[in-house]
Amino acid sequence: MASILTVDDSASIRQTIKIALGNEGHEISEAVNGVDGLQKADGGNFDLIITDLNMPEMDGLTMIRELRKKPDKAGMPILFLTTESDAGMKQQAKDAGATGWLTKPFASDQLVRIVGKVLAK
Amino acid sequence: MNNTDPLAVFRVEAQELLEQIEQGLLDLERNPQDSELVAQVFRALHTLKGSGAMFGFEALSAFTHHCETAFDKVRKGEAVATPTLIGAVLSALDHMRTLAESPDAATDGGEALLADLHKAMEGEAEAEVAVVSPAQKTWRIRFSLPADCLVNGTRPLSLLDELRGLGEADVAAVVDNVPELGALTPAECHLAWDVKLTTTQPRSAIEDVFIFVIDDMRLEIAEEPAVLSDENDKQKTAKTPAEKTVADNVTALDSARKPAAEEHVPDSATTQHHTAGETVRVPAERLDELLDQVGELMIAQSRLKQVSATNADVNLRSVAEEIERLASELRDSMMFVRMVPISQLFGRFRRLIHDLARDLGKNIEFVTEGETTELDKTVIERLADPLIHLIRNAADHGLEMPAERKAAGKPETGRVLLSARQAGAEVVISVIDDGHGLNRDKIRAKAEENGLIQPGAVLSDNEINQLIFQPGFSTAANVTSLSGRGVGMDVVKRTIDGLRGAIDVSSKPGQGSQVDLRIPLTLAIIDGLLVRVGEGRYVIPLATVEECVELTTEQDQRSTGRNFLTLRDALVPFLRLRDMFATGTDPDRYQKIVVVSTGSERVGLVVDQILGHHQTVIKPLSRFHAGVETFSGATILGDGSVALILDVLHLVAVGQQQEERLRAAG
C-alpha cells in the first residue's frame, strides 16, 4: 500500500487521518509543520502528501513551493486539507502545484476515496 | 480506547490551544504591534475552529470563527488589536472553554460576547468601508455539479459558503433534475444552484471559488442589471429553505461518524491532564504506573546488590552492577520524562492578575521569573490552587489602592512577582508583593480572639506570620468576592505539607510581603546517602549533602556543649544525631560529619558510619507519624528493613536555632 505523509499542526487531525488511511493499509507518517514536513519528505519516499495550510514555522504553501523545486518531488501528489476556503488562497495553492483541495471538516470515507483516486492516477 | 482516540486528542489539544490564545492575547496587550503574536493567536484560533468542526464541536467552531475573523483582519492590517478587542476575545475565551468541555452545554451569553466583539471591531470596520468602497455589482451564478461530486469530496455547502463570503448572496436550489424517490441514490447530487451575488469583488474572484472542483461541472456567471424587481427577490427568498434542507443533508453526511466518536467520551477524563511537548501524548496515569514500577525495580535491585555483595561469584557481581547502573539510568530518564517547566503553571496566573486588577480597580504589574525551572508534573498540578490563593491574597490584601500607594510615596502600579528557582533538591517558589505588608497587630488580635494564642504570649515576628496558616484563622475583617472564599491559608499549608514542602513568610511593614514555598523536586525517588547512627540506618537526600568530613577525637571533645566545627574558616553548627535519637550505644571511634545545606545555610550531622549511596524510593510515613518533623519519609532497604529519611530542612533549622542561642549567650 501507499506511504503517505500528513502535515498538520493539529494532533487530532493527524490522528484522524492516520486512523482513516491506516485502516486502509496505508503507512502514515506525521509532520507537525512545514519545516518538519520538508525534512520528513526529504528523508522518506512518499506516494502522497496531505498538508494543512496554516501552520507555525512554515505554512503549507511555502512547503509545497519548496517541495516542487526538488526534481524528485515535482510530480508527487500533494493535497491540501484545510479549513481555509478563500478563493485567492486556492489560486495560490494551484499555482504552487497543489494536486487538490479538501476542506475541513471532512468525513473519513470521503478522505479515503479521494486518496484512492489520487493514488490510482 | 485511550490517547489514540482522536476525540480525546482533540480535547487535550483544545485546552492547549485555548491556553496559547490566552497567553498570546495577554502578550499582545503589552505589544499590540507584534505581528508574530497576532499570527500566533490567529493560527491557534484557526486550528481550534478547524479541529472543532471535525469532532462535532460545531458550536465551538462557529463561535471561534468570529474571533478568527476579527484576528484575520488584524493580521492583514485592516484592524488594530485594541485593548477593547483583546478584552472582548479574552472574555469570549471562557465561553469557548465551556463549549470545548461540553459541546452540548447551553450557550447562554455567547451572543452578548459576540456583540461585544463586533462592537470592538466596528470602529475599524467603518473606517475600512469609508476608504474602500468600489462599485458593487450583482452577478447571477448558476452551477451544477456531477452526480458523483459528493463521493469525490466536493462539498456544495462550502462552495456556497465561499460565495456568501464574497458578498450578499441569495441562494436558490434548482430541483428540476432530482429523480423520483424510488430512483434516488442518497450519495448522488442532482441539484443545481442559482445564486444572486452582490459583491465588490471581480468576476475572477467568483471563478476562483470553483477552482478545485472536478472539471465536468457546469458554471455560468453573468452580470445582472443593477435594478431588480421586488417580486423576483421574493421568489428566491421563498426557495431558500429548500437549499437549507440540502445543506443540512450535506452536513449529515459529514457527521455520520459522530455517534462512534461519542462512545469514547467516558475516557476523556484522562485527558484533563495537560502533557507538555508536542510529540507523544501519554495519559499521566501511565507515567505514574511506570514510576511505581521503577520504584519497585529499585527496591529489588538493592536486594540484588546486597545478595551479590555477600557472594563470591564474579559473574553475579558484574551482572548486579550492570543492573544497578541500568536501573539508575532508567530512574533518571523516568524522572526527566515527568519534569515539566513551571511556565505551564505561571502562565495561568497572568489571566488571574488581569481579572483581579479589573475587579479590584488596582493597577497591577505581574512579573514572573525562572519560568524554565522544572518540577515533577504531579507537583506542578498540585501547586496551582495554593498559588492562586497566594496571588489573590497578594493582589487583594497586599497591594493598596492606587491613591493609597501614591500617598505612601510608592508608584501607583503595584507589583506582584512570582519567581521560581532551584536550590539543592528543592524548588523555591516565591510570591512577592510590594504592598503594605502583613499587619502583625491585626493578626495577633485575631489569633487571640480565636483562641489560637494566649493573650500576651511572647511571639517572634516569624511566629506571628505563621499564625495565618492556622486552621480557623481567617482575615474575615476584609472578605471580598475574591479572597476569603472559605479556602484559607491553612489549606495552602496542608497542600504544601502534602508535597513535603515548607512555607516561609516574611513581611516588612509598608514595603510588602513575601511567601516562599519550598518544594522537593520530586515525590517519588531520590538519591540518598545511607548512614548509620547507633543501630539504626537513615537516609540523607544526596542533593543536600555538601561534603563528609571526619569528626576527630580532638574536635569531639573540644566541642562538647558548643557544637561547632570550623570548616575552611567558616563556623558550621553540627548536630549529634546519636543524642537526638537517643541511641544509647557507644559512639564509633571514628565518627563522621555529613555537611548538608539548603542553599544558603549549612549544618553538620554527626553519624557513626557512612554506608554509601542509596537509591531511595520514598514511602510516606503513616498518618500517626506524619507529624514527626525530623523525618520526611521512609524507605525499604535491600534486606527488607526500613530506613528513615531525614528532613534536612528541619534539621538545618534546628542547627540555626542552636547557633542563634549561642550568639545570644555571647
Side-chain angles (χ1 to χ4, degrees), chain A residues 15-77:
Chain A
Q15 189 70 18
T16 308
I17 294 176
K18 201 171 171 178
I19 289 177
L21 297 179
N23 285 343
E24 296 298 302
H26 299 300
E27 194 184 305
I28 315 297
S29 304
E30 298 177 47
V32 297
N33 58 45
V35 176
D36 192 19
L38 267 185
Q39 269 173 12
K40 298 251 162 78
D42 266 343
N45 198 10
F46 296 103
D47 302 307
L48 168 68
I49 295 179
I50 301 172
T51 180
D52 189 16
L53 191 60
N54 282 294
M55 291 180 289
E57 309 282 328
M58 183 193 282
D59 64 30
L61 270 180
T62 317
M63 184 186 81
I64 263 201
R65 289 191 188 116
E66 290 299 316
L67 281 173
R68 291 304 188 208
K69 282 183 198 161
K70 301 171 201 280
D72 60 323
K73 306 276 188 296
M76 173 192 277

Side-chain angles (χ1 to χ4, degrees), chain B residues 549-551 555 563-567 570-574 593 595 604:
Chain B
V549 293
E550 194 167 314
L551 178 69
Q555 274 174 324
N563 288 339
F564 277 91
L565 168 78
T566 316
L567 201 63
L571 216 53
V572 178
F574 64 82
I593 301 180
V595 180

Side-chain angles (χ1 to χ4, degrees), chain A residues 8-17 19 30 32-33 52-58 80 82-95 98-111 113-114 117 121, chain B residues 3-7 9-11 13 17 42-43 46-47 49-51 53-55 68 72 75-76 148 150-155 158-159 161-162 166 204-214 253-255 257 278-279 281:
Chain A
D8 203 304
D9 56 330
S10 160
S12 53
I13 297 286
R14 291 199 306 271
Q15 189 70 18
T16 308
I17 294 176
I19 289 177
E30 298 177 47
V32 297
N33 58 45
D52 189 16
L53 191 60
N54 282 294
M55 291 180 289
E57 309 282 328
M58 183 193 282
F80 266 114
T82 169
T83 23
E84 193 83 48
S85 53
D86 178 65
M89 272 297 184
K90 281 190 180 177
Q91 185 62 55
Q92 283 188 44
K94 207 175 185 184
D95 293 346
T99 317
W101 186 287
L102 265 160
T103 319
K104 292 178 196 168
F106 59 92
S108 291
D109 50 348
Q110 177 194 353
L111 177 72
R113 268 192 223 105
I114 300 235
K117 214 170 169 182
K121 276 184 189 169
Chain B
N3 59 317
T4 54
D5 171 15
L7 180 66
V9 176
F10 169 72
R11 284 175 192 272
E13 184 177 295
L17 287 169
F42 170 76
R43 261 197 315 263
H46 182 80
T47 307
K49 179 183 93 167
S51 304
M54 203 47 228
F55 295 99
E68 186 205 358
D72 193 27
R75 188 175 66 136
K76 291 177 177 154
D148 64 349
L150 296 176
V151 178
N152 287 329
T154 307
R155 294 165 39 81
S158 67
L159 293 173
D161 280 344
E162 274 182 58
L166 293 175
S204 63
I206 302 170
E207 284 170 347
D208 283 351
V209 170
F210 299 95
I211 221 160
F212 277 105
V213 178
I214 316 290
L253 279 179
D254 286 341
S255 49
R257 88 216 103 77
E278 50 180 20
T279 32
R281 285 151 202 273

